[in-house]
Amino acid sequence: MTDSKSLNASQETAARSFNGYLMLLLMLLSVGWFAWAMMGIVADRADADFVGMVLSITVFLFVSCGFYMIQPNQGVALTLFGAYKGTDRNEGLRWIWPWIGKSKVSLRANNLISEKIKVNDLRGNPIEIAAQVVWRVTDTAQALFDVDDYKAFVLAQIEAAVRTIGSRYPYDDIEHKEVTLRGNHDEVSAELRTALMERLAVAGITVDECGLTHLAYAQEIAGAMLRRQQAEAVIAARKKLVEGAVTMVEMALHQLSEKDVVHLDDERKAAMVSNLMVVLCGERDTQPVVNTGTLYQ
């Protein structure tokens, strides 16, 4: 059973209108008719056409009230006493009956950068986020009659979608195991565009492009998160350094043993490993010590 209180979705249809240049010619003819009739009255001719003068004025006023112009990528929705009668997308000078209402709608692409809003990401960290959206009207009937103000509707839905997407992902992941707002821009932008198109479909609006233009931690935690990022970066760098050093030490011991360069017992292997790890992992340049005695002195 259909809910009687649900929204009656509109749908754009093509409207029938007249070529405005032909009607302009008719209006000029009415001016000529009026001038001829007026000259007869002034000259007090017997064939003075009072009726023609009145009719020419009536035709002029009637025709002049029906003109409107349509620029490229623009549409005009026509209504008759509140009822939608179609949308005219023919460019140039057009004419319609004077009692038909006309509402112009731009079909051009609009570029919008949202305000910076504060959102809690997936981990609860407050972040500042803003988005850039390119949108345009595709159905003039829905844009005019299914929402109260389609431009304000776009602004509200963009903010709602940005809040939803911003809270769905973490800001960053040092281990690169999750989809993040900072590290996966294409995936996040694609999901934001999908969400916006679903929200704006009721208003006959499509989204051509969107993406994040601003992404940062909120000021109250920016300092702490910067220190955490620095610490995580140091830990990750140390981890890579130790992994590389262990690989190099293992390779050195293996090659010394394989090429029969020197034979070391377990104690001397441990000492060599310790020295190599200090050399490879130390932050400062090491000073070598030359042993002029035997290996065990």
Side-chain angles (χ1 to χ4, degrees), residues 10 43 53 56 77 97 117 137 146 150 161 202 212 219 223 233 275 289:
S10 303
M53 185 178 65
S56 64
W97 305 110
I117 58 176
V137 175
D146 288 359
Y150 68 91
V202 67
L212 301 181
Q219 293 183 357
N275 292 334
V289 178

Side-chain angles (χ1 to χ4, degrees), residues 199-216:
R199 291 172 176 269
L200 297 176
V202 67
I205 293 172
T206 188
V207 176
D208 295 327
E209 179 186 346
C210 65
L212 301 181
T213 58
H214 176 80
L215 182 64

Side-chain angles (χ1 to χ4, degrees), residues 2-284:
T2 304
D3 186 1
S4 59
K5 296 182 179 180
S6 61
L7 178 68
N8 294 323
S10 303
Q11 185 175 4
E12 180 178 323
T13 58
R16 297 181 60 185
S17 61
F18 300 94
N19 191 314
Y21 299 102
L22 294 178
M23 301 306 295
L24 180 62
L25 178 61
L26 177 60
M27 189 175 69
L28 294 176
L29 290 175
S30 69
V31 173
W33 186 10
F34 173 80
W36 180 83
M38 192 65 183
M39 290 175 60
I41 294 175
V42 172
D44 196 20
R45 295 197 306 264
D47 59 346
D49 189 3
F50 292 96
V51 176
M53 185 178 65
V54 174
L55 290 176
S56 64
I57 295 175
T58 303
V59 171
F60 178 86
L61 294 176
F62 178 80
V63 173
S64 63
C65 294
F67 287 106
Y68 61 96
M69 294 187 66
I70 302 180
Q71 298 179 1
N73 293 314
Q74 191 178 56
V76 176
L78 305 178
T79 57
L80 176 61
F81 307 122
Y84 174 64
K85 294 301 179 181
T87 298
D88 188 4
R89 295 198 180 197
N90 298 301
E91 299 176 6
L93 184 63
R94 308 298 299 172
W95 189 89
I96 197 66
W97 305 110
W99 50 82
I100 299 293
K102 299 175 281 291
S103 300
K104 289 187 177 182
V105 180
S106 175
L107 306 175
R108 299 164 185 166
N110 295 269
N111 186 55
L112 175 65
I113 299 179
S114 66
E115 297 290 337
K116 297 177 184 178
I117 58 176
K118 187 179 293 185
V119 184
N120 290 334
D121 70 355
L122 182 64
R123 295 172 181 164
N125 299 316
I127 60 175
E128 293 180 349
I129 188 171
Q132 173 261 344
V133 179
V134 178
W135 61 274
R136 57 187 172 85
V137 175
T138 55
D139 191 304
T140 57
Q142 286 184 296
L144 288 174
F145 307 122
D146 288 359
V147 293
D148 187 54
D149 185 343
Y150 68 91
K151 292 184 178 180
F153 184 77
V154 169
L155 289 173
Q157 294 304 319
I158 288 176
E159 180 176 348
V162 169
R163 287 187 180 277
T164 301
I165 298 300
S167 62
R168 191 172 296 172
Y169 299 104
Y171 175 88
D172 199 4
D173 178 25
I174 195 66
E175 297 180 355
H176 304 289
K177 295 181 179 180
E178 298 180 90
V179 176
T180 62
L181 297 172
R182 191 171 73 95
N184 301 87
H185 179 78
D186 293 339
E187 291 86 342
V188 173
S189 298
E191 186 167 350
L192 177 60
R193 180 174 180 268
T194 301
L196 281 173
M197 291 186 68
E198 292 176 354
R199 291 172 176 269
L200 297 176
V202 67
I205 293 172
T206 188
V207 176
D208 295 327
E209 179 186 346
C210 65
L212 301 181
T213 58
H214 176 80
L215 182 64
Y217 283 112
Q219 293 183 357
E220 57 266 26
I221 67 163
M225 298 309 295
L226 177 60
R227 290 192 295 271
R228 194 194 75 171
Q229 287 180 347
Q230 291 173 342
E232 290 177 345
V234 170
I235 292 172
R238 289 287 186 181
K239 182 180 179 181
K240 290 292 184 183
L241 187 61
V242 170
E243 290 177 354
V246 169
T247 302
M248 294 176 67
V249 170
E250 182 182 5
M251 182 178 61
L253 293 175
H254 176 72
Q255 290 187 4
L256 287 173
S257 175
E258 187 181 47
K259 296 181 180 180
D260 199 19
V261 176
V262 64
H263 297 280
L264 301 173
D265 56 20
D266 291 341
E267 182 180 352
R268 290 304 171 182
K269 284 183 179 180
M272 182 179 179
V273 169
S274 177
N275 292 334
L276 286 175
M277 292 297 291
V278 171
V279 172
L280 295 173
C281 296
E283 294 183 356
R284 298 180 180 179

